[in-house]
């Protein structure tokens, strides 16, 4: 608890351009949760380097991601928005937790299996230990809830296992966090292959809607979205393409999938695709406008980056010191 509020932590990697999946599965929920909880929203740039990055691009993307958090409606004064690399406690706790995590546990992580298949020339130790750094992120803040997309469920479970193991040895050091998965939008699929999640690292740009895509591009991508030959707008697993479009429309409009089906009863796929495209384009237009405005406010964003890193470090170091003491590191002399 911080000032009587439960603690929420989440983060996104500063790799690639954000997609509609990132927005509906994560960012949009972050905004709606930010009144109820004391929130820490991190740009997890240390996670990003598990895959090789160009330095200038990485730096630029980290900044634009943080700006996007604010543009999406997260108040940077009430909430703590910061770069992971500015708070050294993340890496320090991760090292400690590495020593309480088993190789076997990490080998079972599906994200590791997927990413090591994709980056076969660079299967580094960081990629393998990625979930331990994520556990450190979360546990540093005595986090109660972690809003993420369903693809991160396994990482959250391992975080809970590591925390329980540590608490079992040293007493109640860490709060055990709960995952929070939005009802709709938790898994937005690729528009070109609805069996695959929409991902910012997809090689086919037509599968993903990027948050910075212009209106025409958005509508064109929706028009080309892969569907089926059934020809009827229904919400079931046999029509994964239509299912995905219904999810997107329902998440953007804040209505249930059943209401979407009713609204488009008897209408054709073509008409439905255009309606989804226009809705998404309208929603993203206001986000893009705000992002552009904030990007020009350099001093304001610099101030937020500095102050929030200090606020985050304050809470993170409290937990880190406690952990260091518990495991038997010598106390600091003041
Ligand atoms: P990459 O493809 O580079 O692994 P990603 O697009 O999966 O990246 P992350 O940075 O790993 O994005 O995820 C940021 C947040 O967005 C996480 O909470 C994740 O669960 C969520 N998210 C990512 N893709 C989707 C999706 N298709 N649908 C819903 N949520 C998603
Ligand atoms: N692994 C996450 C990003 C991430 C995260 C976190 C999310 C890193 N640390 C802590 C929530 C809490 C991802 O790939 N989406």
């Amino acid at each position: 608890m911080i000032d009587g509020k439960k603690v929420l932590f989440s983060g996104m990697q500063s790799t690639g351009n954000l997609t509609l999946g990132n927005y509906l599965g994560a960012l949009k929920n972050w905004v709606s949760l930010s009144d109820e909880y004391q929130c820490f929203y991190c740009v997890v740039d240390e996670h990003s380097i598990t895959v090789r990055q160009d330095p200038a691009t990485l730096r630029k993307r980290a900044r634009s991601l943080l700006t996007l958090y604010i543009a999406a409606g997260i108040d940077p004064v009430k909430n703590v928005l910061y770069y992971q690399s500015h708070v050294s406690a993340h890496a320090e706790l991760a090292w400690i937790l590495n020593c309480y995590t088993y190789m076997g546990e990490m080998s079972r992580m599906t994200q590791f299996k997927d990413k090591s298949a994709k980056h076969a020339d660079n299967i580094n130790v960081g990629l393998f230990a990625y979930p331990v750094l994520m556990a450190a992120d979360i546990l540093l803040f005595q986090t109660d809830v972690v809003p993420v997309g369903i693809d991160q469920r396994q990482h959250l479970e391992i975080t809970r296992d590591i925390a329980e193991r540590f608490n079992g040895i040293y007493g109640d050091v860490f709060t055990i966090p709960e995952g929070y998965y939005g009802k709709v939008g938790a898994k937005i699929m690729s528009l070109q292959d609805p069996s695959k999640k929409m991902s910012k690292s997809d090689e086919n740009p037509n599968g993903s809607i990027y948050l910075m895509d212009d209106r025409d591009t958005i509508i064109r991508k929706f028009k080309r979205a892969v569907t089926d030959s059934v020809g009827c707008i229904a919400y079931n697993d046999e029509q994964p393409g239509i299912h995905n479009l219904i999810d997107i429309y329902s998440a953007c409009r804040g209505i249930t999938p059943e209401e979407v089906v009713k609204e488009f009863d008897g209408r054709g796929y073509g008409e439905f695709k255009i309606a989804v495209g226009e809705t998404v384009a309208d929603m993203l237009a206001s986000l893009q406008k705000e992002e552009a405005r904030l990007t020009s406010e350099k001093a304001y964003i610099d101030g937020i980056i500095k102050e929030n890193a200090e606020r985050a470090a304050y809470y993170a170091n409290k937990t880190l010191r406690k952990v260091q003491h518990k495991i038997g590191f010598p106390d600091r002399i003041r």
Side-chain angles (χ1 to χ4, degrees):
M1 291 281 216
I2 296 178
D3 296 336
K5 282 186 172 176
K6 284 192 169 180
V7 176
L8 179 153
F9 185 96
S10 199
M12 267 195 222
Q13 297 191 61
S14 41
T15 39
N17 295 318
L18 287 209
T19 70
L20 186 63
N22 299 127
Y23 183 73
L24 297 178
L27 257 188
K28 199 161 175 278
N29 290 326
W30 292 9
V31 179
S32 62
L33 293 164
S34 65
D35 278 335
E36 196 182 337
Y37 296 94
Q38 173 58 60
C39 303
F40 293 84
Y41 291 126
C42 189
V43 171
V44 293
D45 47 1
E46 290 174 334
H47 279 95
S48 304
I49 62 160
T50 52
V51 171
R52 201 71 75 224
Q53 304 292 334
D54 168 63
T57 311
L58 181 63
R59 205 172 350 262
K60 203 168 124 229
R61 283 196 170 140
R63 180 139 180 144
S64 72
L65 183 54
L66 195 121
T67 308
L68 211 53
Y69 285 2
I70 307 171
I74 301 168
D75 181 334
V77 177
K78 276 200 271 171
N79 307 284
V80 184
L81 314 181
Y82 71 104
Y83 298 133
Q84 188 182 31
S85 61
H86 283 192
V87 177
S88 59
H90 286 269
E92 291 182 71
L93 182 62
W95 172 255
I96 294 171
L97 297 181
N98 272 329
C99 304
Y100 296 82
T101 306
Y102 299 112
M103 300 287 285
E105 289 176 309
M106 291 295 100
S107 322
R108 287 194 291 276
M109 297 289 114
T110 54
Q111 182 175 301
F112 171 68
K113 289 189 214 164
D114 293 348
K115 292 221 169 169
S116 49
K118 213 161 160 183
H119 303 280
D121 55 339
N122 182 21
I123 306 178
N124 60 71
V125 177
L127 193 63
F128 188 69
Y130 177 112
V132 183
L133 179 58
M134 179 159 163
D137 300 340
I138 297 169
L139 300 178
L140 269 180
F141 295 94
Q142 305 295 350
T143 302
D144 296 285
V145 275
V146 185
V148 276
I150 299 225
D151 61 311
Q152 295 299 310
R153 187 191 288 273
Q154 206 184 24
H155 289 164
L156 209 74
E157 266 150 30
I158 202 78
T159 300
R160 290 164 58 89
D161 292 346
I162 296 170
E164 275 163 5
R165 180 173 308 145
F166 198 93
N167 285 355
I169 307 173
Y170 300 106
D172 278 343
V173 177
F174 296 125
T175 302
I176 308 298
E178 301 280 345
Y180 174 100
Y181 310 95
K183 283 188 197 65
V184 275
K187 194 156 190 197
I188 301 299
M189 310 311 277
S190 159
L191 298 185
Q192 288 298 312
D193 176 0
S195 67
K196 248 176 45 187
K197 82 164 186 161
M198 185 182 286
S199 158
K200 48 182 148 67
S201 47
D202 195 338
E203 307 85 57
N204 182 354
N206 288 324
S208 303
I209 300 291
Y210 299 104
L211 299 187
M212 294 299 143
D213 276 351
D214 62 38
R215 189 177 187 84
D216 290 349
T217 307
I218 295 172
I219 294 174
R220 178 176 46 78
K221 286 182 181 176
F222 275 107
K223 276 189 187 162
R224 285 195 193 163
V226 170
T227 49
D228 53 67
S229 54
V230 179
C232 156
I233 298 173
Y235 195 61
N236 59 54
D237 294 341
E238 279 74 60
Q239 293 172 261
I242 290 293
H243 189 290
N244 190 37
L245 295 180
I246 294 175
D247 279 339
I248 293 172
Y249 191 77
S250 109
C252 294
R253 294 282 312 276
I255 59 177
T256 64
E258 292 69 32
E259 286 170 313
V260 182
V261 171
K262 224 188 222 158
E263 186 179 331
F264 288 92
D265 184 35
R267 318 251 289 268
Y269 286 180
E271 207 181 324
F272 180 47
K273 285 177 177 178
I274 292 175
V276 181
E278 285 177 345
T279 304
V280 170
D282 289 344
M283 184 184 75
L284 295 185
S286 47
L287 182 73
Q288 291 170 1
K289 205 168 142 211
E290 187 57 7
E291 200 258 354
R293 188 188 69 76
L294 285 165
T295 302
S296 65
E297 307 245 351
K298 187 170 179 307
Y300 169 71
I301 299 286
D302 282 350
I304 285 169
I305 290 171
K306 182 166 184 291
E307 273 165 40
N308 279 325
E310 285 163 9
R311 285 162 75 201
Y314 169 79
Y315 293 107
N317 285 332
K318 270 206 325 205
T319 302
L320 181 65
R321 299 292 169 251
K322 190 167 161 189
V323 168
Q324 288 171 328
H325 178 78
K326 289 277 184 187
I327 58 181
F329 288 171
D331 290 326
R332 279 154 205 261
I333 317 270
R334 287 170 206 265

